Amino acid sequence: MKPSLRLTNALHILVYVATARPTDSLSSATIAGSINTNPSRVRALLAELQNANILCRQGPYPGRPVLAKDSKDITFAEVLQAVEDCAAVFALDKHTNPDCPVGSSIGSALSKYYGEIDQAVMAVMGEMTLFDLVEDVKKNQTLPI
């Protein structure tokens, strides 16, 4: 299974918006150029971030995307929940053999452990903020922002 880049792309968008100067273009095409993806993918993520009250729009339609709250109040966990339908770290195989002693019970046994892993990951992600990521990007930048 190919890992999803939705969280990575959403965080990229948020850093891009957070570090933009007032004169910088924040069109989906411009942001897509930074991510190296399609503008329609950016528009879809922008809409999900807006629906989650992480981003809002300012100015005349369609409006410039801006953070809806302080970057210190936006956590990785919140962004993940905004852009992923299922934020589970590991997926259970729902197609195991029900006639096998292991296949018929492995899912329920693993779900306990996977649930604990998911809770731990979300707790850590709940401590990671967009502010911290923006600061790290600024420290690591090789081109001026």
Side-chain angles (χ1 to χ4, degrees):
M1 175 174 27
K2 184 179 176 184
S4 171
L5 292 175
R6 294 177 61 76
L7 174 64
T8 299
N9 289 340
L11 289 167
H12 189 135
I13 290 167
L14 291 170
V15 171
Y16 198 94
V17 169
T19 59
R21 295 177 299 250
T23 56
D24 290 343
S25 170
L26 291 179
S27 70
S28 58
T30 302
I31 297 170
S34 178
I35 298 173
N36 223 4
T37 193
N38 189 298
S40 63
R41 180 179 188 83
V42 170
R43 284 190 296 275
L45 288 168
L46 285 168
E48 289 174 348
L49 293 167
Q50 190 171 338
N51 289 339
N53 297 315
I54 296 170
L55 283 179
C56 60
R57 300 274 184 171
Q58 283 185 343
Y61 183 81
R64 180 182 177 84
V66 295
L67 299 180
K69 52 189 166 184
D70 192 279
S71 63
K72 291 179 182 177
D73 297 325
I74 299 172
T75 68
F76 283 30
E78 180 182 12
V79 176
L80 178 65
Q81 291 170 333
V83 300
E84 289 289 355
D85 292 332
C86 176
V89 176
F90 301 110
L92 290 172
D93 185 353
K94 297 185 188 318
H95 304 290
T96 57
N97 184 348
D99 297 326
C100 170
V102 174
S104 65
S105 59
I106 190 74
S108 59
L110 278 175
S111 67
K112 169 189 157 191
Y113 297 103
Y114 287 1
E116 290 177 21
I117 292 167
D118 290 340
Q119 287 178 349
V121 167
M122 291 304 280
V124 170
M125 291 179 72
E127 298 297 318
M128 297 174 176
T129 68
L130 179 61
F131 176 84
D132 297 327
L133 179 59
V134 168
E135 292 302 307
D136 287 343
V137 168
K138 287 178 180 177
K139 281 186 235 171
N140 296 329
Q141 73 186 16
T142 56
L143 298 172
I145 292 182

